[in-house]
Amino acid sequence: MSSTKRALVTRGGWDGHQPVEATELFIPFLREHGFDVRVEEGPAAYAESDYMRDLDLVVQSITMSSIEPDQLRGLTRAVATGTGFAGWHGGIADSFRASADYLQLVGGQFATHAALHPHAQRTGEMEDNYVPHRIELTTAGREHPITAGLADFDLVTEQYWILSDDLNDVLATTTTAVREWEPWHRPVTCPAVWTRAWGEGRVFVATPGHRVEVLQDPNVRAIVERGLLWAAR
């Protein structure tokens, strides 16, 4: 077996999340850290059982879309036997909505994001969903290698409302505020960065990362880069 680490980058789905441009930010980083990187437009490679067996890392940026049963089995089997699975924003937390098994693997699903006032501020563009919000480290996050040494930070971009479970180890949260034009009546705190142990594998998710400019934020980029290395076998 080669000593070179191997990473598979899969991308596709909704173009608004810039899956090609976003993954291209991190492919040089992976190569600098000793990974041989294969890039695929979609999840078909997950069904290649011989290839997936000893893979060190899967980096996924596929928003919505769909996945075939053999592809999903290949992904979940690989993670359970030690392959890392990592991603950001809708490319991992809003993928393959119709698959309950995928949602269980990842541990969190995008539900919505807050928006600007419907009458005074919206233009019909994606910026309607850009709101100021804070990413706050948890106690565990202040000690975890992915987020240690970082401080709470502010962003103006999509703020993900995530449905999740307590198998996740949450490293950072974000709190969606009450807005008079929205139907919720109290602030809602959701995971913004988490890890998840699945069999012998590690899962890493960061919800910030709507577009390239968010991923280039120094805090977001540091979290994603550390998360990729942490998740790898």
Side-chain angles (χ1 to χ4, degrees):
M1 185 185 303
S2 170
S3 61
T4 302
K5 292 176 286 186
R6 298 187 304 152
L8 170 66
V9 174
T10 59
R11 58 197 188 186
W14 184 56
D15 287 338
H17 283 158
Q18 299 181 302
V20 173
E21 297 88 341
T23 51
E24 291 294 333
L25 281 181
F26 298 103
I27 290 171
F29 172 82
L30 290 171
R31 288 178 172 147
E32 290 166 6
H33 283 80
F35 286 88
D36 177 57
V37 180
R38 172 180 170 181
V39 180
E40 293 291 337
E41 312 301 323
Y46 296 163
E48 299 178 20
S49 57
D50 289 343
Y51 172 73
M52 295 290 291
R53 183 175 297 114
D54 298 314
L55 193 63
D56 296 291
L57 176 66
V58 174
V59 181
Q60 180 180 283
S61 182
I62 304 175
T63 302
M64 295 179 283
S65 193
S66 61
I67 189 168
E68 296 299 323
D70 60 338
Q71 297 165 2
L72 181 60
R73 283 193 300 270
L75 174 63
T76 55
R77 185 183 301 117
V79 175
T81 56
T83 299
F85 187 48
W88 54 85
H89 202 63
I92 191 169
D94 191 21
S95 310
F96 317 134
R97 294 176 180 178
S99 172
D101 288 342
Y102 176 81
L103 302 182
Q104 187 184 30
L105 170 68
V106 173
Q109 168 63 42
F110 164 79
T112 192
H113 35 53
L116 301 176
H117 194 287
H119 302 302
Q121 297 172 295
R122 296 187 190 180
T123 65
E125 302 297 329
M126 65 178 67
E127 287 81 3
D128 290 351
N129 299 316
Y130 290 5
V131 297
H133 61 279
R134 173 156 286 203
I135 306 298
E136 299 179 286
L137 299 187
T138 63
T139 299
R142 297 191 185 281
E143 299 179 354
H144 195 280
I146 294 175
T147 43
L150 301 179
D152 298 348
F153 60 96
D154 296 313
L155 295 170
V156 181
T157 183
E158 289 186 348
Q159 181 185 27
Y160 265 19
W161 181 320
I162 290 287
L163 307 179
S164 63
D165 64 47
D166 66 4
L167 188 61
N168 293 336
D169 295 317
V170 179
L171 307 185
T173 63
T174 189
T175 300
T176 299
V178 173
R179 293 171 169 85
E180 61 182 12
W181 58 90
E182 301 285 12
W184 55 89
H185 306 292
R186 62 173 184 255
V188 178
T189 299
C190 296
V193 180
W194 72 87
T195 65
R196 188 173 179 89
W198 197 253
E200 298 176 18
R202 293 175 167 185
V203 177
F204 158 76
V205 180
T207 63
H210 174 64
R211 289 173 69 82
V212 165
E213 62 269 18
V214 182
L215 291 163
Q216 289 174 325
D217 175 274
N219 292 292
V220 176
R221 187 159 191 163
I223 288 170
V224 172
E225 289 180 344
R226 293 180 186 181
L228 300 183
L229 297 182
W230 176 88
R233 184 192 301 271

